[in-house]
Amino acid sequence: KDNKLDQIIKTIDENDIKFLKLQFSDIHGLPKSMAVPLKKAADVEDIVNDGLLFDGSSVAGLASINDSDLLAKPDINTFSMIPWRPEAKGTSRFICDIFTTDGKPYDGDPRGVLKKSLQLAEKRGYQFNMGPEPEFFIIKKDEDGHYIPADEAEYFDVEPLDQGTDIRREIVLGLEKLDFDVEVSHHEVAAGQHEVDFKYADALKTADAVITFKEAVKALVNNLGFKATFMPKPFLGINGSGMHCNQSLFKNGENIFYDPDTETQISQEALYFIGGLLKHAPALSSILSPTVNSYKRLVPGYEAPCYIAYGFKNRSTLLRIPASRGLGTRIECRSADPSCNPYLAFAVLLEAGLDGMDNKIDPGEPTEENLFAFSEDELVEKGISSLPTSLWEAYHALEEDEVVKNAIGEKVFNQFYNIKRAEWDAYRIQVFDYERDEYLDV
Ligand code: ADP
Ligand code: MG
Ligand code: MG
Ligand code: MG
Ligand code: MG
């Protein structure tokens, strides 16, 4: 640890870094931070050792007003410079864990929730890997002040149709300064929509990376005069933005989802993991698709899943097993979207999957037909049920699911449930143009 700290002090010194941000996430997975001015590089040592006290009661879903004093302590592995801030007298950051004032891990901290779930995997000798594919739109305002996609390009288009080439270039260069291992970037299916994929890693590192990714993309795109949005379905009639979650378990460096001796080269453990994900899918929805808007993405016809099923080559199912084998063997969950809190999302995915393994939950046969072509009767016949179609359904499913509730813990569950109920109630009473168009003449 001391060696690492010495390295950090050296970096701060050599790069003329004047600010140190201490960052954590609220219940929505939005970054919150306090900036400490560094008088000298060595100041960082005290900050790492002591942490910083703060009032948690004004952070969404974190703490209550009558029990609000919390301590943010840097995780020394998360140090990085912030490339979208000025280079001279620059800014750096740590991601922090949150503790109570008597030094115990705080049970309302989403990062702490994930750490606790990961211990369950570690106890079984597993490393839980996550490779997310966050999509986003780059948008601008038209003459009337309405947001529209910044270009008209389609999947894999090139410039000049793709107006995002130079923006993605800046994003990728910025992410590399943040030590991201970017695998590929491209224009996505919808106008103005983009994807930048980075290499999978253990779920804690990846959850930190998702928070950083969204923050970096928003800031870098803003600096170029556009706006980036991770809203799941910003426009009617075109694809929404997902964040597919690719998952695997490694044991002693080997991928336990891979088994060269079965017909599909998928292991029995992987099938049980899928069984768990399918069983808990309704409750998982509340965490993976946590906004009112998420459910406008999960509709037929846009490569987003609506039904609880798994398949291999099938992109209409909730879960897909991509063709890659060996170390790349993985289960892709396609319902998750980038409005989720990655700490909570990865925690519930893991615990649902482990429940499947512990209880040998049979996932049934894979579905290889296009689910969107099935009639209601055919779905019933095949025993395929729908994902929740609204936030209301999803948070009620969460309430009923002990495994998923237990994964986020009582404190986070209560905060989350109350916030989501309020979000639903606020939406429920709105009256939209659409309704006047439909019902004025009844
Ligand atoms: P798609 O075909 O769905 O677009 P991509 O190739 O864009 O898939 O994304 C694949 C993602 O899966 C990347 O983030 C990659 O790092 C990740 N991935 C690859 N192997 C594993 C693995 N063993 N465990 C978890 N994620 C993995
Ligand atoms: Mg204050
Ligand atoms: Mg992809
Ligand atoms: Mg995509
Ligand atoms: Mg994918």
Side-chain angles (χ1 to χ4, degrees):
K1 182 180 168 185
D2 282 347
N3 203 356
K4 201 153 221 170
L5 191 57
D6 290 343
Q7 269 301 322
I8 292 171
I9 292 173
K10 204 165 145 227
T11 307
I12 290 177
D13 215 15
E14 284 173 0
N15 293 282
D16 183 33
I17 290 173
K18 283 287 180 283
F19 296 92
L20 177 62
K21 282 188 167 193
L22 299 190
Q23 190 172 316
F24 51 89
S25 112
D26 71 9
I27 202 160
H28 305 296
L30 290 171
K32 300 284 155 187
S33 94
M34 323 173 251
V36 184
L38 296 171
K39 295 194 181 64
K40 54 183 189 308
D43 287 353
V44 76
E45 191 167 349
D46 285 343
I47 298 169
V48 165
N49 289 332
D50 303 343
L52 201 64
L53 278 171
F54 69 100
D55 168 8
S57 66
S58 298
V59 178
L62 195 68
S64 43
I65 191 119
N66 55 340
D67 188 14
S68 60
D69 286 339
L70 294 169
L71 180 68
K73 280 192 94 171
D75 178 338
I76 194 159
N77 299 310
T78 63
F79 181 80
S80 66
M81 308 228 252
I82 298 193
W84 59 87
R85 299 297 303 148
E87 230 165 273
K89 302 194 193 303
T91 304
S92 60
R93 74 97 204 263
F94 279 117
I95 292 177
C96 296
D97 292 308
I98 302 178
F99 294 85
T100 60
T101 44
D102 48 12
K104 295 198 187 73
Y106 178 59
D107 56 2
D109 175 17
R111 195 171 193 262
V113 164
L114 177 57
K115 281 184 146 183
K116 236 169 119 188
S117 299
L118 291 175
Q119 281 169 9
L120 296 177
E122 275 158 32
K123 254 195 237 155
R124 295 161 169 84
Y126 301 145
Q127 174 183 315
F128 183 47
N129 297 307
M130 186 60 77
E133 303 173 65
E135 295 170 332
F136 57 93
F137 279 79
I138 298 176
I139 55 177
K140 62 182 181 189
K141 279 190 172 162
D142 68 8
E143 289 117 41
D144 306 324
H146 296 130
Y147 279 116
I148 54 168
D151 67 33
E152 290 292 312
E154 296 170 6
Y155 194 57
F156 280 13
D157 270 346
V158 297
E159 60 281 3
L161 270 179
D162 172 12
Q163 291 286 303
T165 314
D166 285 335
I167 302 178
R168 284 202 309 279
R169 179 189 148 86
E170 288 306 311
I171 290 171
V172 171
L173 293 175
L175 289 172
E176 283 177 346
K177 282 190 202 149
L178 285 159
D179 291 328
F180 276 67
D181 185 351
V182 176
E183 290 188 324
V184 63
S185 75
H186 58 87
H187 201 285
E188 255 300 343
V189 170
Q193 192 186 29
H194 305 270
E195 179 171 317
V196 179
D197 290 332
F198 48 93
K199 191 172 179 347
Y200 73 92
D202 73 83
L204 183 66
K205 189 171 174 213
T206 305
D208 288 341
V210 169
I211 303 275
T212 305
F213 177 88
K214 289 175 63 180
E215 192 182 356
V217 168
K218 287 178 187 170
L220 291 163
V221 170
N222 183 62
N223 284 355
L224 295 169
F226 293 91
K227 185 177 173 70
T229 177
F230 290 88
M231 181 176 173
K233 185 84 173 188
F235 303 107
L236 172 69
I238 59 177
N239 280 27
S241 292
M243 185 174 81
H244 297 166
C245 290
N246 292 273
Q247 309 157 69
S248 65
L249 288 175
F250 283 7
K251 190 169 198 170
N252 304 322
E254 305 240 355
N255 189 331
I256 69 152
F257 287 173
Y258 175 58
D259 181 350
D261 298 328
T262 68
E263 195 188 325
T264 55
Q265 299 193 320
I266 292 298
S267 69
Q268 185 61 54
E269 283 95 334
L271 291 173
Y272 289 147
F273 197 95
I274 290 172
L277 292 176
L278 294 176
K279 177 179 175 187
H280 297 291
L284 291 176
S285 262
S286 66
I287 308 286
L288 303 179
S289 318
T291 55
V292 161
N293 184 251
S294 296
Y295 295 87
K296 308 204 167 171
R297 170 179 165 261
L298 300 173
V299 297
Y302 298 97
E303 289 179 59
C306 310
Y307 304 107
I308 302 174
Y310 80 104
F312 284 81
K313 297 199 175 100
N314 200 340
R315 285 173 197 258
S316 70
T317 50
L318 170 64
L319 304 175
R320 183 175 75 101
I321 303 172
S324 170
R325 289 293 177 270
L327 278 188
T329 312
R330 58 187 188 266
I331 300 165
E332 178 188 53
C333 175
R334 301 173 59 80
S335 64
D337 73 52
S339 71
C340 75
N341 181 327
Y343 299 110
L344 302 182
F346 301 168
V348 296
L349 284 168
L350 173 63
E351 294 210 24
L354 289 180
D355 183 53
M357 288 170 71
D358 290 348
N359 295 299
K360 300 193 173 8
I361 300 175
D362 177 9
E365 291 301 312
T367 306
E368 293 308 333
E369 298 98 331
N370 179 2
L371 283 165
F372 300 135
F374 283 1
S375 67
E376 286 292 323
D377 288 347
E378 283 168 315
L379 289 167
V380 172
E381 204 176 292
K382 290 185 187 294
I384 296 173
S385 46
S386 291
L387 279 172
T389 58
S390 69
L391 180 60
W392 184 90
E393 258 185 74
Y395 74 74
H396 282 287
L398 174 64
E399 200 181 11
E400 302 294 313
D401 190 316
E402 291 305 321
V403 169
V404 180
K405 254 163 79 170
N406 189 45
I408 59 175
E410 197 183 334
K411 177 135 211 159
V412 172
F413 167 74
N414 285 330
Q415 300 272 23
F416 187 82
Y417 188 87
N418 289 332
I419 286 174
K420 291 299 152 184
R421 187 169 53 190
E423 214 170 299
W424 176 260
D425 282 344
Y427 168 73
R428 194 169 66 85
I429 61 168
Q430 299 298 320
V431 179
F432 298 105
D433 281 345
Y434 166 85
E435 290 163 279
R436 274 182 289 272
D437 291 345
E438 285 288 307
Y439 303 121
L440 269 189
D441 293 325
V442 294

Coordinates of all heavy atoms in Angstrom, one line a residue, residues 133 184 186 188 195 197 244, ligand 3:
E133 N -21.7 -3.0 -22.1 CA -21.7 -2.3 -23.4 C -22.7 -1.1 -23.3 O -23.8 -1.2 -23.8 CB -22.3 -3.2 -24.5 CG -21.5 -4.5 -24.7 CD -22.2 -5.4 -25.7 OE1 -22.3 -5.1 -26.8 OE2 -22.7 -6.5 -25.3
V184 N -13.6 -1.4 -28.8 CA -14.2 -1.0 -30.1 C -15.1 0.2 -29.8 O -15.7 0.3 -28.7 CB -14.9 -2.2 -30.7 CG1 -16.1 -2.6 -29.9 CG2 -15.3 -1.8 -32.2
H186 N -18.2 2.5 -32.1 CA -18.9 2.6 -33.4 C -20.2 3.4 -33.3 O -20.7 3.5 -32.2 CB -19.1 1.2 -34.0 CG -20.0 0.3 -33.1 ND1 -21.3 0.3 -33.1 CD2 -19.6 -0.6 -32.1 CE1 -21.8 -0.6 -32.2 NE2 -20.7 -1.2 -31.6
E188 N -24.1 3.5 -33.5 CA -25.1 2.5 -33.2 C -26.2 2.6 -34.2 O -26.2 3.5 -35.1 CB -25.6 2.6 -31.8 CG -25.0 1.5 -30.9 CD -25.4 0.1 -31.3 OE1 -26.3 -0.1 -32.1 OE2 -24.7 -0.9 -30.9
E195 N -21.8 3.6 -29.4 CA -21.3 2.6 -28.4 C -19.8 2.6 -28.3 O -19.1 2.7 -29.4 CB -21.8 1.2 -28.8 CG -21.4 0.1 -27.8 CD -22.0 -1.3 -28.1 OE1 -23.3 -1.3 -28.4 OE2 -21.3 -2.3 -28.1
D197 N -17.1 0.2 -26.3 CA -16.9 -1.0 -25.4 C -15.6 -1.0 -24.9 O -14.6 -0.8 -25.5 CB -17.2 -2.3 -26.2 CG -18.6 -2.5 -26.6 OD1 -19.5 -2.0 -25.9 OD2 -18.9 -3.1 -27.7
H244 N -25.9 -3.8 -22.2 CA -25.8 -5.2 -22.0 C -24.7 -5.6 -21.0 O -23.7 -4.9 -21.0 CB -25.4 -5.9 -23.4 CG -26.4 -5.7 -24.5 ND1 -26.1 -5.9 -25.8 CD2 -27.7 -5.3 -24.4 CE1 -27.2 -5.7 -26.5 NE2 -28.2 -5.3 -25.7
Ligands
MG3 MG -21.4 -4.4 -28.6

